[in-house]
Amino acid sequence: MSILESKIPAGPLAEKWNNHKSAIKVVSPANKRKLEIIVVGTGLGGASAAASLAELGYNVKAFCYQDSPRRAHSIAAQGGINAAKNYQNDNDSVFRLFYDTIKGGDYRAREANVYRLAEVSPNIIDQCVAQGVPFGREYGGLLDNRSFGGVLVSRTFYARGQTGQQLLIGAYQALNRQISKGNVEMFNRHEMLDVVKIDGKARGIIARDMVSGEIKRFGAHAVVVATGGYGNVFFLSTNAMGSNGSAAWQCYKQGALMSNPCFVQIHPTCIPVHGDQQSKLTLMSESLRNDGRVWVPKKKEDAVKLQKGEIRANDIPDEDRDFYLERRYPSYGNLVPRDVASRAAKERCDEGFGVNGEGKAVFLDFKYSIERLGKDVIEARYGNLFQMYEKITDVDPYKEPMMIYPAIHYSMGGTWVDYNLMTTVPGLYSIGEANFSDHGANRLGASALMQGLADGYFILPYTIGDYLADEIMTPKIDVKAPEFDAAERAVSGRIEKLFNIKGSKPVDYFHKKLGQTMWDNVGMARNAEGLKKAITDIKEIRAEFWKDVRIPGELNNLNPELEKAGRVADFLDIGELMARDALDRNESCGGHFREESATEEGEAKRNDEKFTYVSCWEYKGEGEEPTLHKEDLVFENVKLTQRSYK
């Protein structure tokens, strides 16, 4: 049997999911009450999964490192959530959403998973409306839609500029209902530090109580990881500062394969870096590109004057402005996909047309939409985003253009899962951004919320039963088993080793150093020489980290620096695997841009003959090189073509 068994059902694409649901096993209500499931992470994926599984009758333990599930990073999502409802009567459909997602991901995702995502997307909107999520509505009261990058229809449902927050409140309400009924036991301020396997199956986790420092054991018949992405490997990203890849990395070290780790998303509309003491970056929603026009000066001398502060954006007349996205991509204009928009911004800035003091920014201008629609309309659509921008930059975007520049935002790569969302470790599931399954080499805007809620509400609750149906005779998991003893010893030993280094440099010193190496060599543009350098540099940073990191405070107490140290230790390993994966994939696709593989116009050039596969890396031990497995991607319903958004 192959290590990679995707379990994609046979039959026509549009019938696969319904046929699969009919064929898989189910667990009776009485037997559900005997089974326990651990859900790690309580963002949109984790909260919706925990609530749905508990509603079905399973006993759920849910974990988050924040002081409340409401603080999950899903809350930061701004612009919207996609669904194939065709409410605008603009010829949208399930197939069009499927095709846009496959094409947007540059043909590096599974057809079956992506079609299922598009197929269940309308149900998400119905679910959220029933929960009371206050989606934007038209004058007559019907749900409104806006457009997002990489599509020619309006299918994005939104709640002003705080869609993630409103969706998370809905999932949080559903989760709290189950907590109050006693079906979910909630563990706030607990960080998962290892997965425990018994006889090859995931049977629980080791977690650290972040308030007391106590190491605890938790058993279950299945474990679901919904812990988001690893974008903070770059130090500066749009992710919350606590977001990390450690839970997924522990799964990898226990036998779950890591897929496409080099596929990370650069978001084109972020507030530019403004100093070397900055700790994170702020996203400006992609929805702003509906009404904002992206431009730089046509004349380099104007760009130089802007960089020196001698003139302002409003001093440059329209005829001297280069609306370069509209010029290069007339069909999609400012709404090209994120990877395309990001590379275009980088190209203009690299050519000397950047507009801030460092030459690393372009303008996003709302003057034209305010003239066309009026300030009140723009304020109703984006008021909270404009307010956020002004608070951070002290510039009023109603009067002057925003400055934006690309930044790390999302991880398309993640834990490998089959069609049932199970990893290569039986009983260990991965959902939402933590897995690799739906977005290929580039995620379209407003699709992260769609995937998280699809997995949690409408996919995992069905597929997990196929595995648990064979576990109904398995008794409650004994956390005193020798496997739990060994796992706890390993976790405690690693923490003590870190704490007792007693070096001279703080954790952030190494994290920043790693982030700079990643951005310079594994960022928007990559080449063989830079990727090899990154691998060498990361090994040196890791060696220095384990010799000279200094962790203040107490070992067995509240200690944020100790938490950060464990995450940075994992980031060092994740960063090296990302560089390896990027080096192996000698093609350009989506957010992975190899300078050796570009068209004459500077666009990403795929190599379908050699790289139409999912890279799946297997952990072989500390200090050992991982083994690469490949899951071939088969396209039966779309034709592989070089993407064009012109």
Side-chain angles (χ1 to χ4, degrees):
M1 183 184 294
S2 167
I3 192 170
L4 296 172
E5 192 176 336
S6 63
K7 297 182 180 173
I8 295 172
L13 185 67
E15 298 173 14
K16 286 182 187 292
W17 177 229
N18 281 332
N19 289 346
H20 187 65
K21 286 190 291 183
S22 301
I24 57 179
K25 301 168 190 168
V26 295
V27 182
S28 74
N31 284 327
K32 286 188 177 91
R33 291 194 292 272
K34 301 177 186 175
L35 298 170
E36 293 184 306
I37 301 171
I38 283 172
V39 178
V40 186
T42 53
L44 286 179
S48 60
S52 300
L53 293 168
E55 184 78 48
L56 286 170
Y58 295 108
N59 300 293
V60 178
K61 298 186 185 89
F63 295 79
C64 69
Y65 68 76
Q66 300 93 342
D67 54 5
S68 163
R70 274 222 39 204
R71 292 189 180 275
H73 187 57
S74 299
I75 207 167
Q78 298 168 352
I81 177 170
N82 290 328
K85 284 280 199 182
N86 193 34
Y87 279 177
Q88 301 305 314
N89 198 29
D90 54 3
N91 200 20
D92 197 12
S93 64
V94 167
F95 188 87
R96 190 177 295 278
L97 174 52
F98 154 74
Y99 178 76
D100 286 344
T101 306
I102 287 283
K103 178 183 175 183
D106 220 349
Y107 305 92
R108 291 294 177 261
R110 285 189 197 134
E111 280 191 339
N113 288 62
V114 175
Y115 191 89
R116 175 176 65 184
L117 176 65
E119 186 179 353
V120 304
S121 66
N123 299 340
I124 300 170
I125 305 304
D126 297 340
Q127 168 89 358
C128 294
V129 168
Q131 289 172 337
V133 172
F135 285 122
R137 293 178 182 268
E138 296 173 340
Y139 180 77
L142 300 176
L143 293 178
D144 196 13
N145 295 104
R146 55 172 50 144
S147 296
F148 259 64
V151 303
L152 295 173
V153 296
S154 296
R155 65 163 68 101
T156 304
F157 296 80
Y158 63 93
R160 212 172 182 187
Q162 49 183 260
T163 313
Q165 178 174 341
Q166 299 303 326
L167 292 173
L168 188 62
I169 290 171
Y172 177 65
Q173 289 172 176
L175 176 61
N176 265 358
R177 177 170 176 269
Q178 295 304 319
I179 293 171
S180 68
K181 292 177 71 174
N183 298 333
V184 174
E185 191 175 359
M186 188 69 227
F187 294 90
N188 300 327
R189 304 292 286 149
H190 281 69
E191 183 170 23
M192 173 189 140
L193 296 179
D194 208 355
V195 178
V196 181
K197 293 192 301 183
I198 299 177
D199 297 329
K201 295 180 178 181
R203 291 304 195 197
I205 66 170
I206 304 295
R208 180 176 182 269
D209 184 326
M210 296 163 68
V211 177
S212 69
E214 182 185 355
I215 306 299
K216 300 179 181 179
R217 310 173 180 192
F218 300 92
H221 296 88
V223 176
V224 179
V225 173
T227 51
Y230 46 85
N232 274 347
V233 69
F234 289 84
F235 186 71
L236 287 178
S237 81
T238 65
N239 291 183
M241 290 182 66
S243 297
N244 64 85
S246 289
W249 193 249
Q250 303 319 313
C251 297
Y252 167 69
K253 292 171 81 170
Q254 289 294 344
L257 303 188
M258 186 65 75
S259 282
N260 299 336
C262 77
F263 288 170
V264 289
Q265 180 158 82
I266 317 281
H267 199 294
T269 52
C270 300
I271 297 177
V273 176
H274 60 256
D276 59 7
Q277 297 303 308
Q278 195 167 348
S279 55
K280 78 174 298 293
L281 297 174
T282 304
L283 174 72
M284 287 286 102
S285 170
E286 179 168 320
S287 62
L288 294 170
R289 287 196 277 147
N290 274 279
D291 291 304
R293 298 179 71 188
V294 179
W295 65 275
V296 294
K298 286 182 180 177
K299 300 174 183 176
K300 195 168 286 188
E301 54 265 35
D302 284 343
V304 172
K305 288 178 183 176
L306 286 166
Q307 292 163 17
K308 291 180 178 179
E310 295 174 359
I311 61 172
R312 301 182 76 91
N314 291 338
D315 296 327
I316 299 176
D318 283 8
E319 60 269 22
D320 290 336
R321 299 180 176 191
D322 177 15
F323 300 94
Y324 59 89
L325 290 177
E326 298 171 30
R327 168 172 57 82
R328 290 176 61 175
Y329 308 102
S331 290
Y332 286 75
N334 294 296
L335 286 173
V336 290
R338 292 172 176 179
D339 60 314
V340 177
S342 294
R343 281 194 294 273
K346 180 179 185 297
E347 184 273 334
R348 287 290 79 196
C349 291
D350 288 350
E351 290 297 314
F353 291 94
V355 299
N356 66 352
E358 293 77 28
K360 297 290 185 184
V362 299
F363 287 128
L364 181 62
D365 200 338
F366 295 88
K367 179 184 84 166
Y368 308 95
S369 55
I370 289 172
E371 290 172 355
R372 179 169 53 89
L373 300 169
K375 181 183 174 183
D376 290 348
V377 172
I378 299 303
E379 188 172 5
R381 290 177 180 174
Y382 313 114
N384 64 311
L385 299 175
F386 279 43
Q387 183 183 44
M388 186 194 312
Y389 183 86
E390 185 172 9
K391 281 186 176 181
I392 293 171
T393 65
D394 197 28
V395 172
D396 182 354
Y398 293 106
K399 297 176 181 177
E400 294 186 54
M402 290 182 178
M403 285 189 190
I404 55 167
Y405 194 69
I408 295 293
H409 178 57
Y410 185 88
S411 312
M412 283 79 67
T415 317
W416 185 90
V417 291
D418 62 17
Y419 192 69
N420 289 335
L421 305 182
M422 188 160 72
T423 70
T424 42
V425 175
L428 178 61
Y429 291 78
S430 180
I431 64 174
E433 189 180 355
N435 75 31
F436 87 100
S437 68
D438 292 341
H439 306 296
N442 175 65
R443 177 176 66 75
L444 290 183
S447 288
L449 307 185
M450 174 173 64
Q451 187 204 350
L453 293 180
D455 288 354
Y457 282 137
F458 298 111
I459 299 173
L460 182 73
Y462 290 105
T463 61
I464 200 169
D466 192 44
Y467 171 79
L468 290 175
D470 294 327
E471 298 294 322
I472 58 175
M473 299 305 293
T474 303
K476 185 179 175 72
I477 304 304
D478 180 12
V479 295
K480 294 180 180 177
E483 290 84 354
F484 277 89
D485 292 340
E488 184 179 331
R489 276 196 307 273
V491 165
S492 297
R494 185 173 189 255
I495 291 173
E496 288 168 12
K497 181 181 177 183
L498 267 173
F499 186 76
N500 290 326
I501 293 170
K502 307 293 184 187
S504 64
K505 296 184 177 70
V507 176
D508 278 355
Y509 167 84
F510 298 99
H511 197 177
K512 286 180 180 179
K513 204 169 178 181
L514 170 65
Q516 193 63 55
T517 294
M518 293 296 295
W519 182 251
D520 290 345
N521 301 295
V522 200
M524 271 198 283
R526 304 161 175 180
N527 58 57
E529 183 183 353
L531 293 166
K532 289 173 184 174
K533 182 179 186 300
I535 293 170
T536 302
D537 289 352
I538 291 169
K539 287 179 177 177
E540 291 172 359
I541 298 168
R542 182 191 296 116
E544 187 186 1
F545 172 85
W546 283 99
K547 283 180 189 170
D548 200 27
V549 72
R550 179 179 179 276
I551 302 170
E554 299 175 32
L555 179 63
N556 298 314
N557 207 332
L558 177 69
N559 192 336
E561 286 299 303
L562 182 59
E563 297 157 18
K564 280 201 301 189
R567 296 166 189 168
V568 171
D570 292 332
F571 278 141
L572 286 160
D573 295 341
I574 294 169
E576 183 179 341
L577 187 65
M578 290 172 64
R580 274 186 196 282
D581 189 45
L583 184 62
D584 174 77
R585 191 175 283 277
N586 190 14
E587 67 160 352
S588 292
C589 57
H592 169 62
F593 187 75
R594 283 289 296 266
E595 292 174 346
E596 302 94 331
S597 184
T599 67
E600 291 180 1
E601 296 174 318
E603 305 289 351
K605 184 179 180 183
R606 292 196 323 271
N607 184 338
D608 293 332
E609 192 177 322
K610 292 185 178 179
F611 296 102
T612 308
Y613 62 76
V614 177
S615 64
C616 310
W617 295 90
E618 181 185 4
Y619 181 72
K620 302 303 284 187
E622 203 75 41
E624 300 293 322
E625 290 197 6
T627 298
L628 174 62
H629 303 271
K630 299 175 182 179
E631 180 197 342
D632 290 331
L633 292 169
V634 179
F635 293 93
E636 298 173 338
N637 299 275
V638 298
K639 183 181 178 183
L640 286 169
T641 59
Q642 290 293 336
R643 286 190 311 169
S644 173
Y645 291 96
K646 293 185 180 300

